Amino acid sequence: MAPRRASGCSHRFSRHFADLKPPRPGLEPPSKGVVAPKTRIAVGVIFLSALGYSMFTGEVEKLDQPTIAERDSLQKRESGVTSNSPMRLRMEAFVKEQQAEIVSALQSLDGSPFRTDTWVRPNGGGGISCVLQDGNVFEKAGVNTSVVYGTLPRPAIEQMRVNHKALDPSVESLEFFAAGISLVLHPHNPMAPTVHLNYRYFETADAAGNPQAWWFGGGTDLTPSYLFDEDAIHFHATVKAACDAHDRAYFPRFKRWCDDYFSVKHRGERRGVGGIFFDDLDESEKDAENLFAFVQDCARAFLPSYLPILERRRKLPYTAAEKEWQQLRRGRYVEFNLVHDRGTSFGLNTPGARVESILMSLPLTAKWRYMHEPEPGSREERLVRVLKEPVDWV
């Protein structure tokens, strides 16, 4: 599908990897395809340390043969990206296409342009952040993409083999590629919910540039300040339809995983009313073509899942007290992102990281009040009850 160009947003899309880094659930994910959650956490620590070294020191192992970044650059220059191109190039093209389409739709709705910041990594890839602040509909909206090339050292390879046996344990290092899209939208109106999306692809390659291990991850979730059941039902039904087209077991499985991951543990409540979340989907799940098609359908379901909700709520009247409640709920959003989100933590602790891109997901305003409790029987109290005990909306 040809992308629609967004004003103020370059067609050469990519963004900072810290936003892209696949989060690791702290609780054991449900159902098949994921094992040893404690080992997965250790994997993440070692992998991120290795990744940070590669990305931000520039001390990447020099190979006699061209790197995959050099091979990919040559292939794109000579023949572009087609259905026969390597998966990494097809995923890169897809996230750029989705960024252009989503930014265009959001700009048309808001009437304000996105600011675009672009940068390039010396070892291949780069990043872009498209951000809108103080718009007509959105207090803050960010839509980012990134493409990253780097090298994994042997310790990271050994740990990652726990979940990906295709990795060669005999080599000292492996090149890797990662690409993804991430967005967070914070509307002005407290009746309109915040929403988050992230879809990503990771691949390692041998010395000849051939793919070794690969996997997909991602998801989307809705975070209202005021709960409208019809909005939660519409959002989940749209995402479920995208999942059901590929595997009817996906939606219930990934909905539970979403509820488990987006948990503000120190508050005993979820960040929002759910959606889907998944990680490490590889050949043990389905082949790459099937999983790529699944990720594409999920990403394309975003605008139909969210824009009708926004259109219903963005002009509703609200009181100063209801705006105050939105600010308090945004405080919870900030707490999750800064305390529990693994990608944010890694990015902020990595030398040379692009902090502005990492913190793009945070709202422009938020508030905390000491010992605040919603009134019994109020809409605010009902939301908190749902956040403590997740609901199956469809």
Side-chain angles (χ1 to χ4, degrees):
M1 177 172 65
R4 291 182 287 165
R5 293 185 180 275
S7 61
C9 201
S10 167
H11 190 57
R12 297 177 296 106
F13 292 111
S14 50
R15 77 152 170 80
H16 185 267
F17 182 77
D19 288 315
L20 170 66
K21 184 261 162 187
R24 303 295 190 194
L27 301 175
E28 183 176 356
S31 191
K32 69 174 187 176
V34 182
V35 297
K38 292 183 179 178
T39 306
R40 286 166 56 83
I41 294 173
V43 169
V45 172
I46 293 179
F47 169 52
L48 291 176
S49 299
L51 185 57
Y53 181 83
S54 171
M55 288 174 62
F56 299 109
T57 67
E59 298 181 25
V60 179
E61 180 182 352
K62 299 298 182 182
L63 304 176
D64 293 332
Q65 301 187 58
T67 64
I68 57 173
E70 292 166 340
R71 293 172 192 271
D72 287 352
S73 178
L74 180 62
Q75 178 164 340
K76 285 186 287 187
R77 189 164 56 245
E78 291 181 343
S79 56
V81 180
T82 71
S83 59
N84 296 320
S85 297
M87 181 59 71
R88 55 184 179 267
L89 296 188
R90 293 162 63 194
M91 183 64 174
E92 176 186 351
F94 175 70
V95 297
K96 291 176 179 179
E97 169 194 296
Q98 286 300 294
Q99 185 182 39
E101 182 173 345
I102 291 169
V103 167
S104 177
L106 298 180
Q107 284 186 158
S108 295
L109 180 70
D110 190 276
S112 304
F114 277 72
R115 168 178 172 167
T116 301
D117 292 324
T118 305
W119 52 275
V120 177
R121 293 189 64 249
N123 297 316
I128 191 168
S129 295
C130 291
V131 178
L132 187 159
Q133 292 186 153
D134 289 319
N136 297 307
V137 175
F138 298 107
E139 182 181 275
K140 188 177 181 184
V143 187
N144 295 345
T145 57
S146 71
V147 176
V148 175
Y149 292 87
T151 303
L152 296 176
R154 187 183 181 94
I157 296 168
E158 291 174 347
Q159 291 294 329
M160 291 173 74
R161 286 194 79 248
V162 172
N163 293 304
H164 303 285
K165 300 302 182 185
L167 288 167
D168 185 352
S170 66
V171 298
E172 291 302 317
S173 64
L174 279 174
E175 289 188 89
F176 76 86
F177 165 90
I181 179 170
S182 178
L183 69 81
V184 177
L185 311 178
H186 295 289
H188 284 292
N189 195 312
M191 301 300 158
T194 287
V195 69
H196 161 260
L197 169 148
N198 176 279
Y199 292 105
R200 54 194 177 270
Y201 174 73
F202 187 93
E203 177 183 294
T204 64
D206 61 21
N210 300 313
Q212 260 209 343
W214 55 267
W215 56 91
F216 290 91
T220 182
D221 62 290
L222 195 69
T223 305
S225 296
Y226 284 91
L227 179 59
F228 293 86
D229 286 22
E230 65 174 318
D231 294 351
I233 291 169
H234 170 81
F235 183 80
H236 285 82
T238 307
V239 175
K240 182 179 185 296
C243 292
D244 286 353
H246 297 270
D247 190 324
R248 297 188 68 84
Y250 275 172
F251 179 76
R253 174 182 165 198
F254 298 154
K255 166 63 163 65
R256 288 192 299 271
W257 201 340
C258 179
D259 291 336
D260 287 343
Y261 179 70
F262 291 106
S263 173
V264 188
K265 298 177 181 63
H266 59 279
R267 297 285 190 180
E269 59 188 45
R270 274 64 179 178
R271 187 176 76 176
V273 296
I276 60 169
F277 176 89
F278 56 87
D279 203 3
D280 286 326
L281 299 191
D282 58 15
E283 69 279 354
S284 67
E285 184 79 36
K286 282 182 170 65
D287 63 58
E289 292 299 328
N290 275 301
L291 290 174
F292 184 40
F294 166 61
V295 167
Q296 287 177 301
D297 283 352
C298 286
R300 288 174 177 145
F302 170 71
L303 291 175
S305 74
Y306 183 68
L307 288 190
I309 298 173
L310 192 59
E311 289 284 11
R312 285 197 293 265
R313 308 304 170 198
R314 67 189 181 96
K315 294 182 179 180
L316 289 181
Y318 59 88
T319 66
E322 288 166 339
K323 185 65 177 178
E324 174 88 357
W325 174 250
Q326 179 199 52
Q327 299 301 293
L328 295 174
R329 294 315 307 171
R330 284 183 174 172
R332 297 290 203 270
Y333 202 94
V334 171
E335 288 176 29
F336 174 84
N337 283 27
L338 295 183
V339 176
H340 298 298
D341 187 70
R342 299 184 191 283
T344 302
S345 177
F346 161 66
L348 293 176
N349 287 285
T350 300
R354 194 170 190 275
V355 175
E356 292 300 321
S357 290
I358 299 167
L359 299 182
M360 175 277 294
S361 64
L362 299 183
L364 197 58
T365 61
K367 187 175 287 187
W368 287 261
R369 284 199 178 278
Y370 181 69
M371 297 298 288
H372 181 274
E373 293 290 340
E375 290 291 328
S378 66
R379 294 182 66 192
E380 293 85 356
E381 186 201 36
R382 179 175 181 245
L383 173 70
V384 173
R385 282 192 280 109
V386 169
L387 298 180
K388 289 180 180 295
E389 295 292 337
V391 171
D392 290 329
W393 297 103
V394 293

